[in-house]
Amino acid sequence: MKPTLSIILLLLAVGLPSAFAQDEKSASGTTAGLAKIDITPRVPVRMIGYASRDYEGEPAENKLFARALAIGDEAGRLGALMITADLLGIPKSLSDRVFERIERKLGISRERFAISATHTHGGPTLSDYMQEMHFCKILPAGEKQHIDEYTAWLVDRLEQIAIQAAGSRQPANLRWGEGRAGFAMNRRVIENGTWKAMRPNPHGSVDHSVPVLTVTAADNDSKVLGIFLSYACHCTSYAPPNKGFHGDWAGAAAQIIEKRHPGSHA
């Protein structure tokens, strides 16, 4: 059973505001820069997320995005850089290719750089990522070429957004808090230590906490520059036979948050 996007977004609308008020901790004397870029495939690329998919996804009105957060100090030194992307996952080869480029241009060390995925099951396949295992077959040469071409283009886009975020740093306040959202549901039934079925399991393990990092302007604390949140729930509300790319509930939630805070990146 998959909750619809409308139900999920309603729960998010109820649950997320409290995340900014609970257990808040702040840090000042820092700089932060944020950037956002469209990573929606411009040509058909094989979709990933379900083994039953045997088709290439198509460009659609629903966009996929990557967002970057760069954090530094008042002296201008870059301390950390994080990119999140509307993808199922990030292969090490992709992360290494992006880091190799930004290391030369930004001078950041590897332990201060990370790329994470929203884990949308409505995204494109990447090179070196679950191709044979996911599809249980070798992809046709033409489709493999489309994946490699998209991955190379994606590396360019992620390099671009990293440089944009680092170059846009300004004095900022960082705050860390935690709220709750209740729509995540364990979907595995285990009996005597053995997996029996895939269905809603109200007695299974869940984590309803929503850790939130907010970035506000140092000279105007009411101006939200960026919001980073995490929630333990698969992005599987957008399922086959849909062929258009989609950021699923995480992508939709980010768009709602950005609409509530104009000019911010979520």
Side-chain angles (χ1 to χ4, degrees):
M1 181 176 68
K2 296 182 175 66
T4 65
L5 274 177
S6 59
I7 294 175
I8 288 173
L9 295 179
L10 174 62
L11 289 167
L12 280 170
V14 173
L16 284 178
S18 64
F20 298 94
Q22 300 181 16
D23 304 324
E24 185 179 273
K25 298 180 181 180
S26 62
S28 58
T30 61
T31 62
L34 295 106
K36 173 183 173 180
I37 198 167
D38 189 339
I39 59 169
T40 312
R42 301 164 298 172
V43 297
V45 178
R46 179 67 78 102
M47 295 184 75
I48 195 169
Y50 297 92
S52 61
R53 281 179 171 152
D54 59 357
Y55 49 79
E56 293 187 312
E58 302 170 354
E61 294 182 2
N62 303 302
K63 301 298 184 182
L64 304 178
F65 293 98
R67 297 167 172 88
L69 169 62
I71 300 173
D73 60 22
E74 293 177 312
R77 292 170 295 207
L78 180 59
L81 176 64
M82 179 176 64
I83 299 174
T84 63
D86 290 331
L87 299 167
L88 183 71
I90 306 293
K92 183 177 183 298
S93 59
L94 175 66
S95 182
D96 287 345
R97 288 168 69 180
V98 176
F99 173 71
E100 183 180 352
R101 295 189 185 188
I102 66 172
E103 180 186 28
R104 297 194 303 266
K105 297 182 178 180
L106 300 178
I108 192 170
S109 55
R110 190 66 176 87
E111 68 273 11
R112 296 178 179 272
F113 170 71
I115 305 179
S116 63
T118 61
H119 198 63
T120 175
H121 284 237
T125 301
L126 301 176
S127 301
D128 304 323
Y129 186 65
M130 293 180 66
Q131 291 178 24
E132 286 74 20
M133 179 175 69
H134 182 71
F135 300 117
C136 302
K137 64 179 181 181
I138 303 299
L139 292 173
E143 293 188 12
K144 178 66 164 57
Q145 181 179 350
H146 293 167
I147 293 170
D148 292 340
E149 289 175 350
Y150 172 74
T151 303
W153 177 79
L154 179 64
V155 170
D156 291 339
R157 302 290 275 180
L158 297 182
E159 175 193 7
Q160 181 180 341
I161 193 177
I163 294 172
Q164 287 178 354
S168 66
R169 280 172 291 157
Q170 60 178 286
N173 297 321
L174 306 181
R175 288 186 174 82
W176 182 261
E178 184 174 294
R180 295 184 66 79
F183 65 83
M185 171 71 75
N186 191 297
R187 60 181 184 173
R188 286 176 170 81
V189 177
I190 308 295
E191 296 179 2
N192 298 321
T194 303
W195 176 82
K196 293 295 184 180
M198 182 75 80
R199 64 173 181 263
N201 177 14
H203 305 294
S205 299
V206 293
D207 182 357
H208 286 158
S209 61
V210 185
V212 179
L213 173 70
T214 60
V215 184
T216 60
D219 59 353
N220 182 4
D221 202 42
S222 64
K223 180 175 176 55
V224 177
L225 303 176
I227 301 168
F228 173 77
L229 62 91
S230 181
Y231 188 58
C233 181
H234 271 251
C235 287
T236 54
S237 58
Y238 186 76
N242 299 303
K243 293 187 178 182
F245 297 106
H246 199 290
D248 211 88
W249 71 259
Q255 292 181 37
I256 289 176
I257 294 170
E258 291 173 347
K259 186 175 181 179
R260 289 182 179 178
H261 303 278
S264 69
H265 297 312

